[in-house]
């Protein structure tokens, strides 16, 4: 009888231990899923930070070279496709541009556009190198 009671107690203990382990496993799965999601978010955040840092470095290099870049969004208020003239109304006022006429053929008044404007120093033309004139050698 003692053996039977001992076996029953052992079986009950194993069943309850199995139930506890199953419950712990069920609790750990959401925790693991949350940990993986948090890891993924951190990785995405690091990637975004690296992109922003690369953009900042590129902007700094451009600024050091005297180059500036700006994006302007606005609405076309006047367009002359034959001359290439374009007027764009932006939040800061009206801007006028002149483009090669072929580049304006797909646009019309009222279109929303984004212009990428780059400013840089004009390249100064270097004088052409002068050929060296040989000096006559003196005889000694």
């Amino acid at each position: 009888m003692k053996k039977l009671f001992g076996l029953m107690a052992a079986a009950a203990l194993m069943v309850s231990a199995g139930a506890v382990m199953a419950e712990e496993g069920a609790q750990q799965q959401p925790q693991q899923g949350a940990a993986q999601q948090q890891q993924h978010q951190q990785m995405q955040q690091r990637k975004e930070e690296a992109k922003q840092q690369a953009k900042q470095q590129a902007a700094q290099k451009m600024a050091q070279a005297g180059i500036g870049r700006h994006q302007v969004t606005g609405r076309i208020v006047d367009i002359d496709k034959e001359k290439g003239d374009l007027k764009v109304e932006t939040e800061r006022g009206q801007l006028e541009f002149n483009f090669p006429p072929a580049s304006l053929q797909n646009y019309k008044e009222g279109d929303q556009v984004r212009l990428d404007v780059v400013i840089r120093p004009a390249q100064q033309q270097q004088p052409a190198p002068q050929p060296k004139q040989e000096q006559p050698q003196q005889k000694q």
Side-chain angles (χ1 to χ4, degrees), residues 72-127:
V72 179
T73 303
R75 183 178 56 84
I76 296 175
V77 293
D78 190 28
I79 187 169
D80 185 335
K81 294 180 182 183
E82 291 178 19
K83 292 182 182 177
D85 293 336
L86 181 71
K87 289 183 184 176
V88 178
E89 184 69 35
T90 72
E91 64 183 31
R92 299 182 93 184
Q94 200 171 88
L95 301 173
E96 295 182 22
F97 297 92
N98 184 267
F99 289 95
S103 66
L104 297 179
Q105 297 309 307
N106 295 326
Y107 297 98
K108 63 185 181 308
E109 280 187 34
D111 284 351
Q112 288 289 115
V113 293
R114 183 182 75 203
L115 303 161
D116 291 323
V117 182
V118 177
I119 187 168
R120 68 177 115 225
Q123 292 182 344
Q124 297 177 353
Q125 291 190 0
Q126 301 291 329

Side-chain angles (χ1 to χ4, degrees), residues 50-66:
K51 283 182 187 178
Q52 291 298 327
Q53 187 177 15
K55 282 183 182 180
Q56 288 175 347
Q57 289 174 346
Q60 286 174 346
K61 286 180 183 179
M62 287 176 64
Q64 289 171 349

